[in-house]
């Protein structure tokens, strides 16, 4: 990923809760009217792993192996809370997981 990728935000200011995802398309699937595209981003350095994110969209973002830059809206939701016990103190706390979502700005 040494070649620069054209940014869809050139001349556009990124709004709050928006992110620019740059990377290579690893896979794409379709469920009903929504396309889910898995994008692998470049590793920040030679000793760390690349990040993988999934972007939802109505249209196809590209082909597998293609490098893309996608402006996405960040969202999220909470899942069912569960109880967790601290092994050292025995303290029981309630944990509510949060899942993040990325929707392509189209």
């Amino acid at each position: 990923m040494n070649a620069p990728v054209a940014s869809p935000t050139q001349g556009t200011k990124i709004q709050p809760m928006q992110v620019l995802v740059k990377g290579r398309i690893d896979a794409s699937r379709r469920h009903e009217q929504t396309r889910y595209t898995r994008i692998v981003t470049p590793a920040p350095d030679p000793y760390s792993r690349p990040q993988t994110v999934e972007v939802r969209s109505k249209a196809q973002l590209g082909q597998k192996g293609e490098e893309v830059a996608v402006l996405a809206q960040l969202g999220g939701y909470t899942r069912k809370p569960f109880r967790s016990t601290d092994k050292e103190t025995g303290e029981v706390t309630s944990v509510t997981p949060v899942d993040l979502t990325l929707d392509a700005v189209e």
Side-chain angles (χ1 to χ4, degrees):
M1 288 224 17
N2 294 335
V5 178
S7 172
T9 61
Q10 289 176 348
T12 304
K13 191 173 183 181
I14 293 180
Q15 300 299 313
M17 298 298 293
Q18 287 184 341
V19 296
L20 178 63
V21 177
K22 287 185 177 184
R24 182 177 298 140
I25 295 178
D26 186 44
S28 180
R29 64 185 171 87
R30 187 180 179 106
H31 182 321
E32 296 177 0
Q33 300 299 321
T34 305
R35 180 159 306 268
Y36 296 84
T37 304
R38 188 170 61 216
I39 299 174
V40 178
T41 65
D45 62 64
Y47 302 101
S48 62
R49 289 182 161 180
Q51 300 297 310
T52 302
V53 298
E54 187 172 62
V55 178
R56 298 186 299 201
S57 63
K58 292 180 181 163
Q60 186 171 347
L61 300 178
Q63 300 296 322
K64 182 177 180 177
E66 187 178 338
E67 292 186 19
V68 294
V70 179
L71 183 63
Q73 185 73 34
L74 180 64
Y77 56 92
T78 57
R79 287 193 282 142
K80 181 179 175 183
F82 64 90
R83 296 202 178 279
S84 177
T85 305
D86 187 309
K87 292 180 182 179
E88 292 179 13
T89 65
E91 179 183 6
V92 177
T93 58
S94 179
V95 177
T96 304
V98 176
D99 286 339
L100 300 179
T101 60
L102 291 170
D103 293 302
V105 175
E106 300 179 277

